[in-house]
Amino acid sequence: MAELTRTEMTRTEMTLRDAVTRGIAQEMRRDESVVFLGEDVASAGGVFKATPGLLAEFGPRRVRDTPISEQAIVGAAAGAAMTGLRPIAEIMFSDFLAVCWDIVANQIAKTRYMTGGQVTFPLVIRTANGGGLRFGAQHSQSVENWAMAVPGLKVVAPSTAADAVGLLAAAVRDPDPVLFFEHKALYPVRFEVPDGELVDELGTAKIVREGRDCTILALAAMVPKALVAADELAASVGIDAMVVDVRSLVPLDTRTICEAVARTGMVVTVEENPRLCGWGAEVVSLLTEEIWADLDGPPIRITTPHVPLPSAAELEDATIPSATRIVEAVRKALT
Amino acid sequence: MTTERTETRASGPADPARRLDLYRLQVELRRFEKRAYDLFMRNLVKGTSHLSLGQEAIAAGVALAMRPDDWTFATYRGHAHTLARGAPMTPVLAELLGRENGLLGGKGGSMHLTSAEHNMMGSYAIVGAHLTLAAGAAWSAQYRESGQVAVCFFGDGATNIGAFHEALNLAAVWSLPVVFVCENNLYMEYTPIGSVTAVPRPAADRAAAYGLEPVVVDGNDADAVYDVASAALDRARRGDGPSLVEAVTYRHGGHSRADPGTYRPDEEVEAWLARDPVTAYRSRLLGEGVEEAELLAVESGVDAAVDRATEEAIEAPPPSAEAILTDVWADGGSSWRN
């Protein structure tokens, strides 16, 4: 029997929200210890319709609706994880992580260390992150950098449906707590996804567009914007930009990032989080320490300004980095 | 006084050997905590610590009613609960002293004592948080149909924080096998609990909000605690859901090492010292015909164990610096990059 090669692989078109459902279902079919809980996730299939059908397939023992109790949701996931289950907990909007940050940052992240490694927390906290839906400042934040700052948490943010399936599977199988940031603006976007079981690897960045002149590092919804900007830069001024999808903030794929930046000598980070202490600041600091000699010019950070996100369409669009802003920043630096 | 069920005729363990175990355990907790206090005074214990002196009957009575595979979740006042599940004295004391042979290798300290091999799943130092973890462990037991029960201890102060209410509600809605034990020692930290709580019984008066029976027990009577704990554990194991037990007791000392507890009226302290749970249990056993020599043998055995643990803790070296970068991740390391 001939092995299925990548080119022969059959593919299905699906949205990122469908990919989330597929990823959870794939892992729940494989492993009885995987359970899923959150607000409106079972009967209603999630407020973003990212989990429909799971209750029907796996039943109410494994797919559980919870009260509006974020501390109880992640606390229950933590207690279950330390006693033999592999829970997936949904926090409806990543902004609500602030409501249960004690459990995430003080209990889940630290208890393994504080107990000298006596307990483990194999759990995933999935959450809808980011702006673009005109929800205002309490339902639109990009908070992946909050999580990145806490030792003991792994932090992942996919930009495609295939990555959502594969990285979610990797997160569920990982023995450590993973915060899984799904960008809500990407939920309705359609992608081609290979059929069959997908399992990716945490801590791996991916070069999604080759280029010679500069390296754009982007995450989640900033990746498609960076790709649009790269095409525009090529068409309008002949700048050939490489685009790297960072995918995972912790562990951080410093090898791929350093090599990709060293090849062009010019780095641009595109971050949806507000300016101060965004992930790009950490990456830029790392690059200047470790590959200073390979840099041909100062690093450029494109972020939202250091403000809460406004609601009105025109204001929100002008606040979050756009393809146009990326094009302008790169053009200014390179021409 | 609110509606409550008070156990007036406590029976405790029926087996005389188990009754002696219950006494031995209380003496262990008492003498260990006294030694811990002495070591603070000698500046051998750094940081802070929160002693269970006066509250031993609760830790002992509940622990002896538990099955070995049941889980304990405790607070920063957790020395007694850790020892009560069977963790040996030397590593517990060594952890307070920050030694290499500490229970947590010196990485947790007094407020985070954990002994997973004894199903003592941790001491948590942010008030109320661990009630949600206990509910999660109970969910795991329910899901796996293991018959295990999670027991969660917390102070009266925890009844006013959000996590308490979230955990109680979830445990009740999901009918989880968890026993919540409020050790009501009458003071949240420095402030009388009654002056910051809307109801007289901080835990029991909240039970009805979660469809639970109000259960109040004399937390200074180990037999009464044992009886109430046994009933709550049975109920959980039968699949009848959680219990909320309020055990009324008193701290002999202050809230923590830094607190001499001078805000408490002298007559109140004296009245509670007169109701010392350890001496009360001793008198009860003597009244039941146990020979004093037998009790003296228990006490001297415990004293010798405390002395040995003290020696082994003091003599041990501090942890090596290599420990700093271990145990963040399940692979044993701490790397944030590949």
Side-chain angles (χ1 to χ4, degrees):
Chain A
M1 191 167 63
E3 267 185 53
L4 198 62
T5 67
R6 188 161 282 277
T7 50
E8 291 164 336
M9 217 179 255
T10 56
R11 288 167 178 273
T12 302
E13 195 184 274
M14 65 173 62
T15 61
L16 191 129
R17 63 159 58 89
D18 294 338
V20 170
T21 318
R22 179 173 148 186
I24 297 172
Q26 172 187 299
E27 294 309 295
M28 291 188 74
R29 283 182 203 122
R30 181 186 62 83
D31 182 351
E32 275 281 321
S33 69
V34 179
V35 290
F36 176 45
L37 77 167
E39 295 158 9
D40 298 324
V41 299
S43 301
V47 295
F48 290 104
K49 293 289 172 279
T51 59
L54 294 174
L55 175 64
E57 180 173 354
F58 300 103
R61 277 180 72 244
R62 298 183 69 190
V63 179
R64 302 200 77 156
D65 279 324
T66 67
I68 300 177
S69 301
E70 278 80 13
Q71 294 189 81
I73 292 167
V74 293
M82 66 199 295
T83 54
L85 300 188
R86 287 185 173 265
I88 303 171
E90 176 174 312
I91 294 298
M92 192 186 283
F93 285 78
S94 63
D95 315 71
F96 307 165
L97 283 169
V99 177
C100 55
W101 201 237
D102 169 46
I103 314 281
V104 177
N106 282 322
Q107 316 305 336
I108 292 173
K110 293 175 184 157
T111 299
R112 178 177 172 75
Y113 185 82
M114 292 194 300
T115 62
Q118 290 187 51
V119 293
T120 53
F121 293 91
L123 62 85
V124 179
I125 300 172
R126 293 178 40 243
T127 189
N129 194 46
L133 274 69
R134 325 313 188 197
F135 285 162
Q138 294 183 344
H139 289 70
S140 304
Q141 294 171 90
S142 285
V143 305
E144 60 276 0
N145 55 319
W146 297 0
M148 188 186 191
V150 180
L153 301 177
K154 292 182 177 175
V155 184
V156 177
S159 73
T160 70
D163 282 2
V165 179
L167 289 173
L168 187 54
V172 170
R173 296 177 194 201
D174 197 86
D176 295 309
V178 180
L179 265 65
F180 195 83
F181 291 96
E182 297 160 13
H183 200 291
K184 60 177 86 72
L186 295 176
Y187 276 138
V189 178
R190 304 191 77 81
F191 299 87
E192 291 279 316
V193 182
D195 293 330
E197 183 181 72
L198 295 182
V199 187
D200 211 317
E201 196 181 337
L202 301 185
T204 54
K206 213 189 250 179
I207 297 173
V208 291
R209 185 188 197 280
E210 287 291 351
R212 294 183 310 272
D213 299 328
C214 70
T215 302
I216 303 175
L217 305 177
L219 189 74
M222 296 300 103
V223 176
K225 289 184 181 183
L227 287 168
V228 169
D231 287 347
E232 164 102 26
L233 284 164
S236 63
V237 284
I239 291 174
D240 187 17
M242 180 193 297
V243 178
V244 176
D245 183 349
V246 175
R247 301 204 315 158
S248 172
L249 296 179
V250 183
L252 186 67
D253 186 356
T254 55
R255 199 175 309 129
T256 299
I257 290 169
C258 287
E259 280 171 16
V261 173
R263 267 160 53 195
T264 66
M266 177 76 202
V267 62
V268 180
T269 66
V270 189
E271 305 157 58
E272 192 172 324
N273 42 242
R275 179 75 186 187
L276 300 188
C277 302
W279 60 262
E282 187 58 52
V283 169
V284 163
S285 142
L286 176 107
L287 292 168
T288 52
E289 272 186 64
E290 299 191 8
I291 60 161
W292 175 251
D294 295 313
L295 297 178
D296 298 330
I300 296 169
R301 286 184 64 209
I302 303 172
T303 70
T304 66
H306 206 63
V307 296
L309 268 186
S311 170
E314 290 73 12
L315 295 179
E316 189 181 36
D317 287 344
T319 306
I320 296 172
S322 62
T324 309
R325 261 178 75 195
I326 301 169
V327 168
E328 282 166 8
V330 173
R331 194 175 347 190
K332 197 171 146 208
L334 288 185
T335 58
Chain B
M1 193 59 70
T2 55
T3 43
E4 60 188 58
R5 195 176 83 214
T6 304
E7 305 298 319
T8 47
R9 296 178 68 85
S11 62
D15 176 2
R18 293 294 280 167
R19 297 184 68 69
L20 203 60
D21 287 344
L22 192 44
Y23 180 64
R24 180 182 298 109
L25 186 48
Q26 290 181 82
V27 173
E28 270 177 28
L29 305 183
R30 170 63 52 92
R31 310 247 165 142
F32 179 93
E33 292 288 60
K34 283 193 156 179
R35 179 59 51 86
Y37 182 80
D38 293 344
L39 295 174
F40 304 142
M41 289 313 183
R42 289 169 57 192
N43 205 25
L44 281 164
V45 175
K46 314 290 182 191
T48 187
S49 76
H50 306 76
L51 303 178
S52 287
L53 288 169
Q55 305 184 195
E56 298 89 345
I58 301 169
V62 176
L64 257 66
M66 290 168 75
R67 229 164 68 170
D69 61 344
D70 290 337
W71 296 295
T72 293
F73 290 82
T75 71
Y76 50 85
R77 197 181 304 286
H79 307 170
H81 296 298
T82 307
L83 294 168
R85 293 308 307 279
M89 281 187 195
T90 298
V92 175
L93 200 56
E95 187 63 30
L96 305 193
L97 270 63
R99 297 296 204 255
E100 190 177 47
N101 58 345
L103 191 61
L104 318 172
K107 282 167 139 172
S110 162
M111 295 201 283
H112 299 294
L113 297 177
T114 302
S115 186
E117 65 167 304
H118 298 97
N119 289 308
M120 198 298 173
M121 302 307 284
S123 304
Y124 298 86
I126 310 286
V127 169
H130 67 305
L131 276 81
T132 67
L133 272 67
W139 176 33
S140 160
Q142 182 189 58
Y143 179 77
R144 292 183 291 103
E145 296 175 1
S146 67
Q148 290 163 286
V149 178
V151 176
C152 183
F153 299 92
F154 52 94
D156 43 276
T159 63
N160 290 326
I161 204 165
F164 167 87
H165 298 276
E166 293 194 19
L168 261 292
N169 183 58
L170 190 79
V173 171
W174 289 7
S175 199
L176 298 175
V178 53
V179 179
F180 295 107
V181 181
C182 175
E183 300 185 65
N184 179 6
N185 61 23
L186 314 188
Y187 288 81
M188 58 170 240
E189 286 184 26
Y190 294 49
T191 303
I193 191 66
S195 69
V196 292
T197 307
V199 289
R201 292 286 185 199
D205 287 346
R206 267 72 175 262
Y210 305 106
L212 303 174
E213 288 290 313
V215 179
V216 178
V217 63
D218 179 354
N220 281 20
D221 181 337
D223 284 333
V225 171
Y226 178 91
D227 290 350
V228 165
S230 299
L233 288 160
D234 286 349
R235 171 185 154 86
R237 256 188 265 287
R238 279 197 310 270
D240 292 341
S243 296
L244 175 58
V245 174
E246 180 172 332
V248 183
T249 184
Y250 201 75
R251 276 185 336 235
H252 284 182
H255 167 68
S256 65
R257 180 195 185 191
D259 170 26
T262 49
Y263 43 83
R264 305 186 302 180
D266 289 345
E267 54 278 21
E268 178 185 290
V269 175
E270 277 159 29
W272 279 95
L273 286 175
R275 298 189 46 211
D276 185 310
V278 184
T279 48
Y281 206 76
R282 192 179 200 278
S283 306
R284 183 174 299 169
L285 291 185
L286 288 172
E288 288 169 8
V290 178
E291 293 293 327
E292 178 147 40
E294 203 169 357
L295 301 180
L296 290 169
V298 164
E299 289 151 14
S300 61
V302 168
D303 283 339
V306 172
D307 287 343
R308 195 160 52 241
T310 307
E311 225 167 84
E312 289 171 355
I314 289 176
E315 281 171 6
S320 87
E322 284 143 32
I324 294 168
L325 296 181
T326 64
D327 293 327
V328 170
W329 307 123
D331 68 7
S334 62
S335 179
W336 50 270
R337 61 190 291 180
N338 72 6

